[in-house]
Amino acid sequence: MSAESAESAAGPSPVVVAVLPGQHPEVLQTAGALAKRLAVPLVCAYVDEASYLVEWDPERSAHRLSLHPDTDNDEIRATTQELRSVIEARCGGLAIDWTLRTLAGDPARALGRLATETNALMIVVGTPEPGLGHRISAALNGSVAAWLSHHQEHPILIVPAAGK
């Protein structure tokens, strides 16, 4: 089977975009427009940082549960429903295929694993949100964009918030 046949059997490689409740709209708008222009699907990824990781492996391979959380509580369902509504509002008129995936653990690593799993063309992330809480979180956990840019083989597009 040729590479072209393999791609058509699995479908085109998507654009992966990180989504968060209350995220500035430019991230999703940019990712949706890019997916439309490239005629590829859009995979929106929400990472539930509160879920635990089951992935300690000296060879750095991740356990399946780290990518696909098995918890499905009311808070996660409410968040994903809110995100689905936002995605539909911003991408519904673009005539693109989109999906929402809920991932577990560290956001940068989870996005990287998803990009590898889906053979993504690109990962789209936003700049950190303003405010002390987000700055403290970035200082303690590191920047998702920075980690991806140093540890990821897929291209990374960092979308700044308007007015920054």
Side-chain angles (χ1 to χ4, degrees):
M1 180 186 290
S2 71
E4 193 172 85
S5 299
E7 182 177 311
S8 62
S13 296
V15 169
V16 169
V17 60
V19 294
L20 296 166
Q23 180 180 45
H24 54 87
E26 294 84 5
V27 176
L28 191 52
Q29 290 166 345
T30 300
L34 184 61
K36 180 173 180 62
R37 187 169 190 105
L38 296 173
V40 299
L42 181 65
V43 177
C44 303
Y46 167 66
V47 183
D48 176 26
E49 292 182 76
S51 59
Y52 66 94
L53 285 177
V54 291
E55 66 167 309
W56 188 83
D57 185 345
E59 295 178 10
R60 294 187 178 258
S61 62
H63 189 281
R64 184 184 176 311
L65 290 177
S66 296
L67 185 56
H68 308 282
D70 60 354
T71 59
D72 189 25
N73 65 31
D74 291 338
E75 187 176 328
I76 291 173
R77 277 194 296 273
T79 300
T80 56
Q81 186 55 46
E82 174 190 341
L83 288 170
R84 281 185 205 288
S85 297
V86 169
I87 296 165
E88 179 59 39
R90 296 202 178 119
C91 296
L94 295 176
I96 58 171
D97 289 332
W98 64 266
T99 57
L100 174 61
R101 299 273 301 267
T102 302
L103 310 176
D106 176 78
R109 287 170 178 82
L111 288 167
R113 287 190 299 270
L114 179 62
T116 298
E117 178 185 279
T118 61
N119 192 31
L121 292 174
M122 177 180 297
I123 303 171
V124 179
V125 296
T127 54
E129 299 295 322
L132 180 61
H134 292 286
R135 285 196 301 262
I136 290 171
S137 177
L140 295 174
N141 300 323
S143 162
V144 171
W147 190 92
L148 286 169
S149 69
H150 289 96
H151 298 94
Q152 186 51 234
E153 60 191 44
H154 297 85
I156 312 301
L157 174 62
I158 303 168
V159 180
K164 277 196 167 188

